[in-house]
Amino acid sequence: MKENPKHIRISEYNYPLPDERIAKFPLPVRDQSKLLIYRHGEISEDVFTSLPEYLPAGSLMIFNNTKVIQARLHFRKETGALIEVFCLEPIQPNDYVLNFQQTEHAAWLCMVGNLKKWKDGPLCREMTVKGFPITLTATRGECRGTSHWIDFRWDNPEVTFADILEVFGELPIPPYLNRDTEESDKETYQTVYSKIKGSVAAPTAGLHFTPRVLDALTEKGIDLEELTLHVGAGTFKPVKSEEIEGHEMHTEYISVSRSIIKKLIDHDACATAVGTTSVRTLESLYHIGVTLANNPEATEEQLHVKQWQPYETECDVRPVVALQKILGYLDRHGMEALHTSTQIIIAPGYDYKIVKAMVTNFHQPQSTLLLLVSAFVKGNWHTIYDYALGHDFRFLSYGDSSLLIP
């Protein structure tokens, strides 16, 4: 059994991050950000447009094509109190696509701002969507942890829930930017390849890519593929416990097509991941394959990757074999894509199975994302972050990027 990281102290993953080093806005041209290259312990720097030069021809690069939804809804009570309802994940129906297509009612798990001012009764807001005047109501249901079940209803069957969010919602930029969302964020806080609506935070490593960088990668002979992980608000959830055992990872929903599983097998289960969300999805695939190797009749619920699962089960299944087990599962069920969820925590002690190189931004101190990076670079994250702090790199979502090759 490998070392279990439950007793890692999060205080060991702290570093000084002055506010002025946090990029409040992106650069005017996305791909002109700085790129830190960490290769086998050596550090250098370049511009992001040079990324293709550092990757081998014939390699496979995987992107997360999730699209950030305008998930913040504001209602004003008759008393004047402003209530914010932040849509986290769909409950009824619990499929993102179906939920966005609803035409009269949709239920979501939401965080509620200014909750104490919302004693009872529904919240109402009148608006015009696609030329139709409608009244949207929000009714509060049961409390689930720090979130609430919220029922949304509206009175026009021509209008979908997606239409309402598009017109009435606000894009949720990260809380640490300490500013209001601006119109420009609607474009700059989406990747150029975003397609599948569902995230409440952008997979920010992808924000540096432009059509010209994607074209240059293709010209280099690098295979580009997309999967989907919908990023939850839990990505910003600070680790409050002294040891990470006390931190509960949020569940995130993933969708991976049969063609990507095949492509991964063709590349001997080796990939360059763009962003920590792609990393978590790819590594979760391995553990789903292990579940299927041990139990070919596993149900969809049993394929969910639990937080500590990688450290508690023997993982002597080869990565290619694990992926073949998933392909077999899809074949048996006549499915074109694997739809499941993951709570995986990747921390020092984790043994990477599929991801061989990673493009990622610079993450918050004492965050689970910093643990993931540390596990990848064998604990050498301090050297990388010291370099970035000493060489004028910009940090967090709108900041600069790094290519990590351990």
Side-chain angles (χ1 to χ4, degrees):
M1 285 308 229
K2 64 175 74 67
E3 179 196 345
N4 194 315
K6 287 182 180 179
H7 300 302
I8 286 173
R9 299 177 72 80
I10 197 63
S11 57
E12 292 168 16
Y13 293 83
N14 202 0
Y15 68 91
L17 180 59
D19 186 63
E20 63 270 17
R21 301 306 297 274
I22 299 172
K24 299 295 193 289
F25 291 91
L27 294 177
V29 182
R30 293 173 186 248
D31 60 16
Q32 292 306 295
S33 50
K34 286 162 69 110
L35 178 67
L36 180 149
I37 298 100
Y38 172 86
R39 273 192 301 192
H40 320 308
E42 298 290 313
I43 296 179
S44 59
E45 64 177 270
D46 207 326
V47 180
F48 194 81
T49 41
S50 303
L51 175 69
E53 296 167 23
Y54 296 96
L55 296 168
S59 57
L60 174 63
M61 191 171 218
I62 306 261
F63 298 81
N64 180 6
N65 64 11
T66 188
K67 188 165 195 165
V68 185
I69 58 172
Q70 295 180 191
R72 291 183 192 275
L73 300 167
H74 294 104
F75 294 85
R76 196 171 286 284
K77 294 200 68 179
E78 288 169 7
T79 58
L82 189 66
I83 312 286
E84 179 183 285
V85 179
F86 186 166
C87 296
L88 296 179
E89 63 183 78
I91 313 175
Q92 218 178 47
N94 65 1
D95 177 276
Y96 282 88
V97 175
L98 290 178
N99 196 294
F100 290 133
Q101 291 169 354
Q102 293 301 297
T103 55
E104 289 174 58
H105 166 256
W108 281 67
L109 196 60
C110 300
M111 285 196 297
V112 179
N114 210 6
L115 180 64
K116 61 184 182 296
K117 293 285 173 68
W118 186 5
K119 296 284 191 292
D120 50 32
L123 302 173
C124 297
R125 177 151 174 188
E126 295 186 356
M127 62 186 86
T128 301
V129 180
K130 289 169 47 179
F132 299 107
I134 67 166
T135 301
L136 176 71
T137 64
T139 308
R140 198 170 94 219
E142 68 184 32
C143 178
R144 294 189 179 180
T146 55
S147 308
H148 285 81
W149 176 307
I150 305 289
D151 283 295
F152 296 104
R153 295 186 187 278
W154 57 102
D155 53 1
N156 193 309
E158 299 291 319
V159 173
T160 65
F161 193 61
D163 294 332
I164 289 170
L165 290 183
E166 201 64 41
V167 172
F168 171 50
E170 181 183 280
L171 200 76
I173 59 171
Y176 47 64
L177 293 183
N178 290 323
R179 65 173 176 82
D180 291 336
T181 301
E182 298 194 3
E183 191 62 28
S184 61
D185 291 308
K186 285 186 181 177
E187 185 178 338
T188 58
Y189 196 60
Q190 299 280 18
T191 62
V192 296
Y193 47 81
S194 65
K195 295 179 184 67
I196 314 294
K197 290 180 179 178
S199 280
V200 298
T204 53
L207 296 179
H208 306 273
F209 287 85
T210 54
R212 67 175 164 186
V213 173
L214 295 169
D215 288 347
L217 288 163
T218 304
E219 281 165 26
K220 176 86 186 269
I222 294 162
D223 217 336
L224 310 183
E225 289 289 344
E226 298 174 3
L227 44 71
T228 307
L229 176 142
H230 290 316
V231 190
T235 191
F236 299 122
K237 185 174 155 189
V239 180
K240 295 272 178 67
S241 53
E242 277 189 34
E243 295 187 343
I244 63 169
E245 183 175 22
H247 181 77
E248 185 185 356
M249 287 293 284
H250 50 296
T251 296
E252 289 175 317
Y253 296 89
I254 61 180
S255 174
V256 184
S257 70
R258 164 203 297 272
S259 62
I260 291 199
I261 306 287
K262 280 184 162 168
K263 190 72 69 90
L264 281 162
I265 292 168
D266 292 344
H267 283 81
D268 201 28
C270 297
T272 298
V274 176
T276 56
T277 59
S278 300
V279 170
R280 288 216 306 283
T281 307
L282 289 167
E283 292 299 313
S284 294
L285 286 180
Y286 172 77
H287 297 287
I288 291 165
V290 171
T291 298
L292 287 166
N294 295 328
N295 177 13
E297 301 307 312
T299 62
E300 191 175 324
E301 286 71 33
Q302 289 170 317
L303 296 184
H304 167 80
V305 181
K306 299 187 189 74
Q307 178 162 336
W308 301 106
Q309 185 175 327
Y311 312 93
E312 293 168 348
T313 50
E314 287 291 351
C315 296
D316 51 3
V317 179
R318 288 194 306 114
V320 166
V321 172
L323 293 167
Q324 286 165 340
K325 297 296 180 190
I326 297 176
L327 210 51
Y329 170 85
L330 295 177
D331 288 342
R332 286 195 301 281
H333 292 83
M335 295 160 69
E336 279 306 309
L338 176 72
H339 298 284
T340 185
S341 55
T342 182
Q343 263 182 299
I344 194 171
I345 186 166
I346 297 179
Y350 180 82
D351 181 16
Y352 276 84
K353 301 295 185 182
I354 292 174
V355 177
K356 305 301 181 206
M358 181 191 308
V359 176
T360 189
N361 286 13
F362 297 95
H363 305 291
Q364 284 181 290
Q366 302 194 94
S367 63
T368 57
L369 301 180
L370 196 52
L371 294 173
L372 178 152
V373 167
S374 179
F376 194 62
V377 297
K378 306 291 187 284
N380 214 359
W381 71 272
H382 260 305
T383 313
I384 295 165
Y385 276 62
D386 287 349
Y387 183 98
L389 284 163
H391 289 77
D392 213 28
F393 277 71
R394 298 151 68 250
F395 278 63
L396 308 187
S397 296
Y398 275 144
D400 293 316
S401 187
S402 65
L403 170 64
L404 309 178
I405 304 171

